[in-house]
Amino acid sequence: QIVAGTGDPLNGLITATDRRGLPVGRQLMVTNKDVFGPRVGFAFNLASRTVIRGGYGINYFWGTANNVGRKSNPPFVASANIQGATLSNPGGGAGRLFPPNVNSLDIFNRQPSVQSWSLTVQREVAAHTSFEVGYSGTRGAHLPRGIQLNQADPVRAGNANLRRPFLGYGTIGYNENSAVSKYHGLEASLVRRFSRGVSFEASYTWSKSLGHVEGNPLDSRNKNLDFGLLDLDRTHMYSFNYVWEMPFCKRRKGAAAAILRGWQLSGITAFMSGLPVNVTQPGDVANFGGGTGGQRPDVVGNPHEDRGQSILRYFNTAAFQQVTRALGIGTAPVNPVRGPGLNNFDVSVFKNVAPREGMRLQVGAEFFNLANHPQFEGLGGGIGSATFGQVTDARDPRVIQLRAKFSF
């Protein structure tokens, strides 16, 4: 609680009309003018049917460094954390002032950048068919992230607002460009260009994505605790797409030939590893005073034991134990388990009819998830919740769609 008439309620808060002497313009942040984004690439014909290609580049983007969050700051909006309140008296008394929650950003933010590089070898292995294998990588630096700048001192006891480094404020949602990411991938593909009514592409990727995950970190004073598998990481990805124009009865006449010719079969087959899932526990046993990322439990076993054996216990839930010790931070890393993978078959069958020159009628059917295989997704990661370790959702079952298309 703040004593009325003391202090400056707008201390440290800047607006476009009151920048308090900081060296920034109306955009309320320093403009980066020293970014350097080179790009270079090469292709070398190693042999008559073999080509080596490579490249490197640095790209920049704006990120999320904007002032939208400041619209909820005083003097525009007032918000506060109230502790020890009751339903009959939420404010704890008339005329009481509480530390406001505010939003801010680093006005000296570095420009977010992503370096990317690749090296591939491609060889023609047959007529109209080539095989390619290569390595690609990226590294992101100064990526946008949010932190709780006014995290309470966990060692001290008592009201969180009395343990914060910036007294007079509650939580301070702070945007800064400090996150990093890394990606390394082995990529292979076999491609046949369309010839004699057939084309296909089979591709496989074996990769790993690491970095600071999105959202506020668990401990704003030790942000690397939230470095681990990124939310979109998939270890294995395989896809196969194809088009086959059936060659039956192309030059024959008659009713049977008219029915059998002009058919086309195409589809996409995909197999992918599941996405990482974070495991968290409720409460503030770490005594951070709120506003931080989800707190994590201890790991006391192998989370991957019997993985995928049941949708009611998709991973080993007994491998996690809720932290109860004072000031405890669990030993579980960020995103320690992986959800269900994907195996899907989409197929389409069409017949092309040309009523007259310059016109084409295409009729047929599309089958999504042709095998009607269960495509589970969503996994309960909250320890202590009713859905902990359970599959919570599924993709669509088989869907059949009839289609007619007339071109002229």
Side-chain angles (χ1 to χ4, degrees):
Q1 182 179 353
I2 298 176
V3 178
T6 62
D8 179 4
L10 302 181
N11 181 37
L13 300 181
I14 62 174
T15 64
T17 57
D18 183 6
R19 297 187 286 276
R20 298 181 179 260
L22 290 174
V24 294
R26 290 177 58 85
Q27 75 276 20
L28 302 182
M29 67 186 71
V30 173
T31 301
N32 294 298
K33 300 180 179 180
D34 57 348
V35 295
F36 176 59
R39 296 169 182 81
V40 61
F42 71 90
F44 176 66
N45 191 3
L46 184 64
S48 61
R49 295 184 177 182
T50 305
V51 178
I52 299 177
R53 298 183 179 90
Y56 171 82
I58 303 178
N59 299 280
Y60 297 88
F61 64 99
W62 179 248
T64 57
N66 59 64
N67 293 295
V68 173
R70 287 177 169 165
K71 68 181 181 180
S72 60
N73 288 349
F76 311 111
V77 175
S79 63
N81 290 332
I82 302 175
Q83 298 186 356
T86 61
L87 291 177
S88 60
N89 189 10
R96 302 183 69 182
L97 299 176
F98 294 91
N101 300 325
V102 297
N103 295 289
S104 184
L105 55 83
D106 184 359
I107 64 172
F108 300 103
N109 261 334
R110 300 286 298 275
Q111 197 73 22
S113 66
V114 176
Q115 301 177 62
S116 57
W117 55 88
S118 64
L119 180 66
T120 63
V121 179
Q122 184 184 55
R123 180 170 177 79
E124 186 180 25
V125 294
H128 311 289
T129 306
S130 62
F131 175 75
E132 182 175 305
V133 61
Y135 158 73
S136 66
T138 65
R139 178 178 175 82
H142 312 300
L143 303 179
R145 73 182 311 178
I147 68 170
Q148 167 32 336
L149 188 65
N150 213 18
Q151 179 177 297
D153 182 357
V155 178
R156 298 165 55 192
N159 189 298
N161 287 331
L162 299 177
R163 299 184 282 115
R164 301 189 187 278
F166 300 99
L167 294 176
Y169 294 108
T171 60
I172 300 179
Y174 189 71
N175 288 331
E176 63 178 17
N177 294 344
S178 63
V180 300
S181 68
K182 302 175 183 179
Y183 170 86
H184 301 282
L186 171 68
E187 302 170 351
S189 64
L190 181 67
V191 179
R192 174 186 169 88
R193 299 184 301 276
F194 191 79
S195 175
R196 296 184 179 180
V198 177
S199 71
F200 64 80
E201 178 178 0
S203 61
Y204 169 74
T205 300
W206 177 39
S207 64
K208 191 172 188 177
S209 300
L210 294 170
H212 294 111
V213 296
E214 295 185 18
N216 286 358
L218 166 62
D219 185 354
S220 295
R221 297 183 178 90
N222 186 5
K223 293 173 280 191
N224 284 335
L225 287 176
D226 283 62
F227 184 91
L229 290 175
L230 293 176
D231 295 341
L232 298 179
D233 176 74
R234 292 187 187 270
T235 306
H236 303 284
M237 291 192 296
Y238 170 79
S239 66
F240 179 64
N241 64 79
Y242 52 91
V243 175
W244 178 35
E245 288 188 348
M246 301 180 187
F248 310 128
C249 303
K250 281 191 173 182
R251 293 186 175 90
R252 295 186 179 183
K253 296 182 179 180
I259 294 174
L260 293 176
R261 68 169 169 258
W263 286 95
Q264 174 183 299
L265 176 69
S266 60
I268 301 175
T269 300
F271 295 88
M272 300 181 187
S273 302
L275 295 172
V277 175
N278 202 18
V279 175
T280 61
Q281 70 172 56
D284 183 23
V285 68
N287 203 30
F288 288 150
T292 62
Q295 299 186 15
R296 299 192 289 271
D298 284 327
V299 177
V300 294
N302 180 12
H304 309 295
E305 183 178 347
D306 298 328
R307 177 181 177 271
Q309 298 298 310
S310 170
I311 61 173
L312 299 178
R313 187 177 181 269
Y314 194 81
F315 60 87
N316 182 17
T317 56
F320 299 96
Q321 180 176 291
Q322 194 162 343
V323 176
T324 57
R325 61 188 179 277
L327 311 183
I329 294 180
T331 58
V334 66
N335 288 337
V337 297
R338 196 174 288 275
L342 171 70
N343 47 81
N344 186 63
F345 301 86
D346 294 337
V347 177
S348 63
V349 181
F350 292 104
K351 178 175 174 58
N352 296 302
V353 180
R356 55 183 298 180
E357 185 177 355
M359 296 183 179
R360 188 178 74 160
L361 174 64
Q362 186 183 70
V363 293
E366 296 173 318
F367 303 85
F368 301 96
N369 189 10
L370 175 67
N372 202 28
H373 189 278
Q375 305 285 346
F376 296 120
E377 62 179 356
L379 195 59
I383 189 171
S385 70
T387 59
F388 181 52
Q390 297 182 13
V391 173
T392 58
D393 201 357
R395 300 178 182 89
D396 290 335
R398 181 194 297 123
V399 175
I400 302 176
Q401 178 174 291
L402 304 179
R403 192 181 79 173
K405 179 181 177 182
F406 181 64
S407 305
F408 61 93

